[in-house]
Amino acid sequence: MKRLLIVLIVLFSSPVCLIAGNLPVVIETRNTCLVYNVDSKNKLVQVYLGQKVNNYSEYGKIPSKGEAYVSSGTTNLNEPAIRMIHNDGNPSLELLYSGHEVQQVDDNVSSTTIHLKDAVYPVEVTLHFLAYKEQDIIKSWTEIVHHEKKPVELSHFASSMLHFRATQYWLTHFHGDFAMEMLPEENRLTNGIKILDSKLGTRADMYQTPVFFLSLDKPSDETSGELIAGTLAWTGNFRFLFEVGKHDQLRIIAGMNPFASEYELQPNEVFTTPALIFTYSNNGKGTASRNFHQWARNYGILDGNESRMTLLNNWESTGFNFNEEKLTDIISDASDLGTDLFLLDDGWFGNKFPRVDDKAGLGDWQANQEKLPHGLGYLVNEAKKQGIEFGIWLEPEMVNPKSELYEKHPDWVLRLPNRDEHYFRNQLVLDLTNPKVQDFVYGVVDEVMTQNPGIAYIKWDCNRMMTNTYSSYLKDRQSHIYIYYVKGLYAVLDRVRAKYPHLPAMLCSGGGGRTDYGALKYFTEFWPSDNTDPVERIYIQWGYSYFFPAIAVCNHVTSWGNQPVKFKMDVAMMGKLGFDIDLGKLSDSDKTFCRDALKLYKEELSKVIWYGDQYRLVSPYEENRAALMYVDRNKQNAVVFSYTMHNRYNDEYNYLKLEGLDPNKVYKVEEVNMFPGTKSKCPENGKSYTGDFLMKSGIKASSYTPLTSRVFRLIAE
Ligand code: GLA
C-alpha cells in the first residue's frame, strides 16, 4: 500500500514547484540510479545503486540492502550514520520515513529531498540529493534539526550512507605527504572497518585526499569494472568509513570526521553536513574520472568553462630573496616568455618583522619597504607596462609569533592556554571561529585588492595543520572547533567571492594539502604539490587526474630535476601550464623552445587539455613510461602525451592504442612541441589514419630513451 501512497507535502512545502514523490524514491542520472523504498516498519531503505534498469516498475521489487541513514541507540549493531543524545539523556534515535519531494532544477539537475522523523522525539532528518544527469554524478548531504526544549548532543553526523552487496570490495585511496601527494593504494577490504580520514583541521589533505574508488567484485582498471568513485566537499576533517559485515554487505559512511567534534545542536538550528559527491561506473575508472572532470568544470570549480592565465611565479627562483629591481626583471622575463601573468610569491611583506625567511612577518600584510620601496602598486604597473597581469601570494589564515599581528592579538591564535605553543613552519593558525578574525582575514584580501588596483590573481596558501587545538573564543564549546573553523573559512571566502566573483585564484596548502570540492568552488585552480621534479610530477598529476580536471591542476616548469626542459615542459602541459624558473639561467635554445611551446599551448593545445575528455592510456605505476590523451567534445582534436621515465634492457613498448576518437573520422597525426633542430622519430608522424585504426592498432608513441617525451596533436580532416 505504502508503495502507492502519494505523499502530501504540507509540512515541508516550499515556494518552488515541488512534486510529492511516489515510492520507491528513484534518483537517476543518464546511466545510474539510486533507489530508496520504505519497509514494513516505515523505515527508509536503500534498495539499489547501479546501472539504470529498463523497466522502471521493477525498482519497486528490489529487496532492501539496508537502512538508508542508520541511527544509533535502538537495535542497530553497526557503525551509525547519526547518533544523538537528547536533552533528557536518552541516547536513541529511530528515523521513520515521512515523505519526499522531487524537483527538476533545470534540464540537467534534479533534486530529491527525503524526510525522516523520530516517532518519539521532535527530530527531523532530511536527506538531500542532487542528480546531475549528463555527468552521472550524485551529490548527497543531510540536514538535522530538532525542536526539543534544550540542546541535544550530536556525536555522529554523516553526510551520506551507501550500501552494497558484492562478493569482494577493492578500495583505492590516495595517501601522501608533503612533496609526495596522491599516491594510489588499492587493497581488498576484509571484514570489519576501514577508515580513511583526516584529523589535521587545516591543510587537512596533507596525508590523505578525501577521495576514493570502491570497486565491486574485482579490482577495476581504466576501462572495465564496476565501481563507485566518491569525494567529500569539505575543507577540514573528513572520514570515509567502510564496514564489511555479514553476507558480504558493505556500508560506506561518509562525512565530516566526528573525531573530537561532539556538536551541541540548539533547538531549531539546522545542522547541514557537507556533500558526498559520487559517481557510478560499470566500465572502469576512466569513465568515473571523466564524469568528475565534466561535473567539476560545470559545477565544482570556479569558472570551470572559462579561460586560464599562464604565469611565471618567482618562488622557485628567488625564494624570499628579491627586491624591486629583481622582480621588475622577472616581470620583463615573464612578458618576454609570453605568459599572461607574473605571480609574486611569499616574502613581500612585513616591516617591523620583515619576511626575509619563514620565521617572521606572517600576519603583517604591508609591503616590505626595503624590498619594495614603491609598494605593490609599482609592480602592478610594471606588469601593465610589460603587457601582462600581476598576481599575489597570501597566507591570510596564519601568523608567525614574530609579527605585529601576534603582538596585538595573541588571543586570535589557536593554542592551548596552559601549554607551550607548538609551531609548524614557525607559524600558528588564526582562530577563524572568531568573527573578528574572519573580518581580519577578509580584510587582508580586500585591502590588498583595493590598495593596489589591478591585481588580477591571488594564490591562497595554508602552510600548517592544527595542533594544540584550542580556541579562546569558543570557550566551553571546544568540540565545535573543527567544524566552525571550516565554516568560518567558507564565510570569508563567500565574502571574497561576493566582492570579487571572478578573480582567478590558486588554492594552495604547502603543496596539495587542500584539494577538495568544498574549497574549489571558490578557486579557479590548485597547486598540487611543491614537488616539481617532472618525473615525480607524472605520478602526482596522474593521481590528481582521477578526480580533478586538468584545467584546475597547476603544473609549473621549474629547476627541480635535471631533465631536459622539453621533458619538463611536456609534463607541465598536461594541466594548467606555468613557469617557476630563472629564465636567465636557460640557454638560448631552451628559451626559444619555452617561448614556442607556450605559444603552441596557449593558441592550440590548451583548449583540448582544459575542456576535453581525458583518457589515461598507460599508467606510470604499471610501466616505465606513461601516456594519456585529451579529446575535445566534438572529437575533432586530440592531444596525446607520452613520457618515458626509465628504460630497462627488456622493456618493449607496445603500440599505444588511443581512445575516445570518432572511429569514422580521419585524423592527421603530428608530433608537436619538438625541441629546435630535432625531428620526429615516430613512424606515424605526418600521416593520417581513421579513429578506428588509431584506437585498434595505435601509434608508436613512446621513445626508448629515458627522460624523453613526445606530444602529438591529432586533427580530424
Ligand atoms: C608553500 C607553497 C609554495 C610557496 C611557499 C611560500 O610551500 O606550496 O608554493 O608558495 O609556500 O612560502
Side-chain angles (χ1 to χ4, degrees), residues 28 103-106 108-112 129-133:
E28 60 179 6
Q103 184 202 349
Q104 195 63 40
V105 179
D106 58 33
N108 191 45
V109 185
S110 61
S111 147
T112 303
F129 302 86
L130 281 183
Y132 299 84
K133 187 167 126 205

Side-chain angles (χ1 to χ4, degrees), residues 315 320 345-346 355 393 425 459 461 463 508 510-511 527 530:
W315 175 245
F320 297 95
D345 215 281
D346 195 354
R355 181 80 170 161
W393 180 94
R425 213 190 185 214
K459 173 176 176 183
D461 213 335
N463 274 311
C508 175
W527 183 236
D530 275 359

Side-chain angles (χ1 to χ4, degrees), residues 75-87:
T75 54
N76 168 47
L77 299 173
N78 298 81
E79 182 73 15
I82 181 169
R83 180 166 180 272
M84 181 182 282
I85 304 175
H86 302 278
N87 68 57

Side-chain angles (χ1 to χ4, degrees), residues 24-295:
V25 185
V26 178
I27 298 156
E28 60 179 6
T29 61
R30 192 160 45 100
N31 297 305
T32 306
C33 205
L34 171 62
V35 185
Y36 292 99
N37 215 333
V38 174
D39 72 5
S40 58
K41 293 186 179 136
N42 208 28
K43 285 194 170 172
L44 184 77
V45 290
Q46 183 195 313
V47 294
Y48 187 74
L49 171 55
Q51 204 182 353
K52 262 161 74 169
V53 300
N54 291 336
N55 184 349
Y56 216 79
S57 70
E58 289 180 328
Y59 286 128
K61 298 175 184 165
I62 306 175
S64 164
K65 300 282 183 301
E67 192 179 340
Y69 194 75
V70 174
S71 59
S72 175
T74 57
T75 54
N76 168 47
L77 299 173
N78 298 81
E79 182 73 15
I82 181 169
R83 180 166 180 272
M84 181 182 282
I85 304 175
H86 302 278
N87 68 57
D88 62 3
N90 187 313
S92 71
L93 200 60
E94 190 110 287
L95 295 172
L96 302 178
Y97 169 81
S98 78
H100 76 276
E101 306 101 46
V102 287
Q103 184 202 349
Q104 195 63 40
V105 179
D106 58 33
D107 285 354
N108 191 45
V109 185
S110 61
S111 147
T112 303
T113 309
I114 309 177
H115 303 281
L116 309 173
K117 277 185 177 179
D118 190 276
V120 178
Y121 288 91
V123 176
E124 291 155 26
V125 171
T126 309
L127 308 183
H128 289 273
F129 302 86
L130 281 183
Y132 299 84
K133 187 167 126 205
E134 277 313 305
Q135 295 79 20
D136 271 325
I137 291 269
I138 297 175
K139 191 168 161 180
S140 103
W141 73 100
T142 298
E143 281 175 357
I144 303 162
V145 67
H146 75 91
H147 313 291
E148 300 186 19
K149 291 204 174 65
K150 291 189 195 147
V152 305
E153 185 182 291
L154 262 180
S155 68
H156 292 64
F157 29 69
S159 297
S160 188
M161 180 164 186
L162 295 171
H163 298 263
F164 299 88
R165 291 276 173 98
T167 51
Q168 295 177 11
Y169 302 100
W170 289 83
L171 177 67
T172 310
H173 61 104
F174 296 82
H175 201 73
D177 201 339
F178 170 72
M180 43 180 289
E181 291 84 354
M182 262 329 238
L183 307 174
E185 286 182 35
E186 183 169 46
N187 289 295
R188 184 173 170 183
L189 289 177
T190 53
N191 277 289
I193 287 179
K194 165 93 182 178
I195 288 176
L196 307 177
D197 78 345
S198 166
K199 301 186 185 77
L200 277 65
T202 43
R203 201 180 178 177
D205 312 337
M206 184 169 165
Y207 303 133
Q208 184 84 42
T209 301
V211 297
F212 68 87
F213 287 110
L214 178 82
S215 300
L216 306 176
D217 295 322
K218 58 183 172 52
S220 52
D221 57 24
E222 283 298 323
T223 52
S224 70
E226 196 179 356
L227 61 91
I228 290 286
T231 183
L232 191 78
W234 184 243
T235 314
N237 293 350
F238 64 87
R239 186 178 75 155
F240 299 123
L241 181 142
F242 304 82
E243 182 169 14
V244 181
K246 58 183 178 187
H247 313 305
D248 288 330
Q249 295 183 34
L250 170 75
R251 307 153 154 218
I252 301 180
I253 296 178
M256 293 182 286
N257 197 341
F259 165 75
S261 293
E262 298 76 19
Y263 193 92
E264 194 181 273
L265 187 63
Q266 300 298 322
N268 305 317
E269 177 188 349
V270 180
F271 183 93
T272 305
T273 73
L276 172 73
I277 303 163
F278 63 93
T279 187
Y280 164 86
S281 158
N282 62 355
N283 42 30
K285 292 177 176 138
T287 298
S289 297
R290 286 186 290 280
N291 292 347
F292 264 107
H293 297 166
Q294 273 184 43
W295 175 84

Side-chain angles (χ1 to χ4, degrees), residues 266-502:
Q266 300 298 322
N268 305 317
E269 177 188 349
V270 180
F271 183 93
T272 305
T273 73
L276 172 73
I277 303 163
F278 63 93
T279 187
Y280 164 86
S281 158
N282 62 355
N283 42 30
K285 292 177 176 138
T287 298
S289 297
R290 286 186 290 280
N291 292 347
F292 264 107
H293 297 166
Q294 273 184 43
W295 175 84
R297 283 194 299 267
N298 287 296
Y299 304 99
I301 59 170
L302 185 69
D303 292 335
N305 291 310
E306 302 300 322
S307 188
R308 293 291 184 269
M309 283 189 279
T310 58
L311 60 84
L312 175 67
N313 187 195
N314 68 308
W315 175 245
E316 295 275 336
S317 59
T318 68
F320 297 95
N321 181 19
F322 55 78
N323 57 23
E324 204 170 79
E325 206 187 329
K326 203 179 221 178
L327 293 181
T328 310
D329 287 348
I330 299 178
I331 288 173
S332 144
D333 284 347
S335 161
D336 179 48
L337 182 64
T339 63
D340 303 302
L341 176 111
F342 165 70
L343 170 61
L344 174 57
D345 215 281
D346 195 354
W348 59 268
F349 48 88
N351 283 300
K352 182 171 175 191
F353 299 96
R355 181 80 170 161
V356 288
D357 55 27
D358 63 12
K359 295 191 180 64
L362 208 51
D364 302 344
W365 298 101
Q366 295 79 36
N368 177 279
Q369 282 159 9
E370 236 172 84
K371 289 188 198 178
L372 307 178
H374 300 100
L376 285 179
Y378 175 85
L379 294 172
V380 178
N381 283 338
E382 278 305 304
K384 283 268 171 299
K385 275 197 237 157
Q386 297 279 352
I388 61 171
E389 302 288 350
F390 182 87
I392 190 81
W393 180 94
L394 298 169
E395 194 184 359
E397 296 160 74
M398 302 281 160
V399 62
N400 283 129
K402 280 192 191 162
S403 67
E404 293 183 72
L405 178 68
Y406 181 90
E407 285 183 339
K408 236 201 257 158
H409 298 289
D411 55 321
W412 281 9
V413 167
L414 294 182
R415 60 165 179 187
L416 289 164
N418 51 359
R419 290 188 194 276
D420 289 345
E421 287 179 347
H422 176 252
Y423 307 124
F424 186 92
R425 213 190 185 214
N426 311 301
Q427 65 193 58
L428 292 161
V429 183
L430 290 177
D431 183 2
L432 265 184
T433 70
N434 182 342
K436 283 194 184 132
V437 179
Q438 293 173 20
D439 287 345
F440 168 80
V441 174
Y442 169 74
V444 170
V445 182
D446 195 34
E447 272 167 36
V448 91
M449 293 296 296
T450 46
Q451 287 170 7
N452 307 286
I455 290 189
Y457 184 94
I458 56 174
K459 173 176 176 183
W460 183 300
D461 213 335
C462 165
N463 274 311
R464 71 157 292 173
M465 70 303 286
M466 293 180 191
T467 52
N468 288 7
T469 311
Y470 182 93
S471 153
S472 56
Y473 172 78
L474 285 179
K475 300 196 175 72
D476 59 355
R477 285 176 305 155
Q478 294 302 319
S479 62
H480 289 205
I481 200 165
Y482 291 117
I483 296 176
Y484 278 10
Y485 185 93
V486 178
K487 295 209 163 164
L489 173 66
Y490 291 164
V492 171
L493 291 169
D494 280 334
R495 284 168 75 184
V496 170
R497 282 307 171 198
K499 184 151 178 198
Y500 307 100
H502 299 289

Side-chain angles (χ1 to χ4, degrees), residues 486-652:
V486 178
K487 295 209 163 164
L489 173 66
Y490 291 164
V492 171
L493 291 169
D494 280 334
R495 284 168 75 184
V496 170
R497 282 307 171 198
K499 184 151 178 198
Y500 307 100
H502 299 289
L503 176 72
M506 181 201 285
L507 175 61
C508 175
S509 184
R514 247 186 195 170
T515 41
D516 67 83
Y517 283 114
L520 276 169
K521 70 173 191 198
Y522 300 101
F523 291 85
T524 47
E525 55 222 69
F526 69 92
W527 183 236
S529 177
D530 275 359
N531 188 339
T532 52
D533 177 303
V535 173
E536 295 296 322
R537 269 299 183 121
I538 290 173
Y539 295 87
I540 294 169
Q541 291 166 197
W542 195 268
Y544 281 110
S545 82
Y546 285 108
F547 288 86
F548 301 98
I551 191 170
V553 186
C554 301
N555 306 326
H556 293 179
V557 174
T558 76
S559 52
W560 277 49
N562 296 321
Q563 305 84 353
V565 75
K566 150 83 178 152
F567 187 75
K568 295 179 174 191
M569 181 71 75
D570 289 352
V571 174
M573 272 189 176
M574 71 148 101
K576 207 220 102 178
L577 173 68
F579 296 82
D580 199 338
I581 195 163
D582 185 346
L583 291 166
K585 291 194 178 142
L586 293 185
S587 67
D588 284 348
S589 54
D590 277 1
K591 244 187 265 171
T592 308
F593 168 73
C594 287
R595 233 178 263 127
D596 293 348
L598 179 58
K599 190 164 184 285
L600 174 76
Y601 176 83
K602 280 168 68 169
E603 290 175 4
E604 293 181 45
L605 308 186
S606 58
K607 283 159 205 71
V608 185
I609 297 165
W610 293 349
Y611 314 119
D613 284 328
Q614 186 200 55
Y615 295 83
R616 288 178 298 260
L617 305 174
V618 179
S619 167
Y621 289 95
E622 285 164 16
E623 296 193 24
N624 286 324
R625 61 170 180 159
L628 76 166
M629 66 185 285
Y630 303 84
V631 185
D632 68 3
R633 299 318 302 276
N634 56 16
K635 298 186 186 293
Q636 276 294 115
N637 298 282
V639 180
V640 180
F641 291 99
S642 162
Y643 310 102
T644 303
M645 288 85 73
H646 186 52
N647 182 252
R648 300 206 43 207
Y649 177 70
N650 269 334
D651 274 350
E652 185 54 52

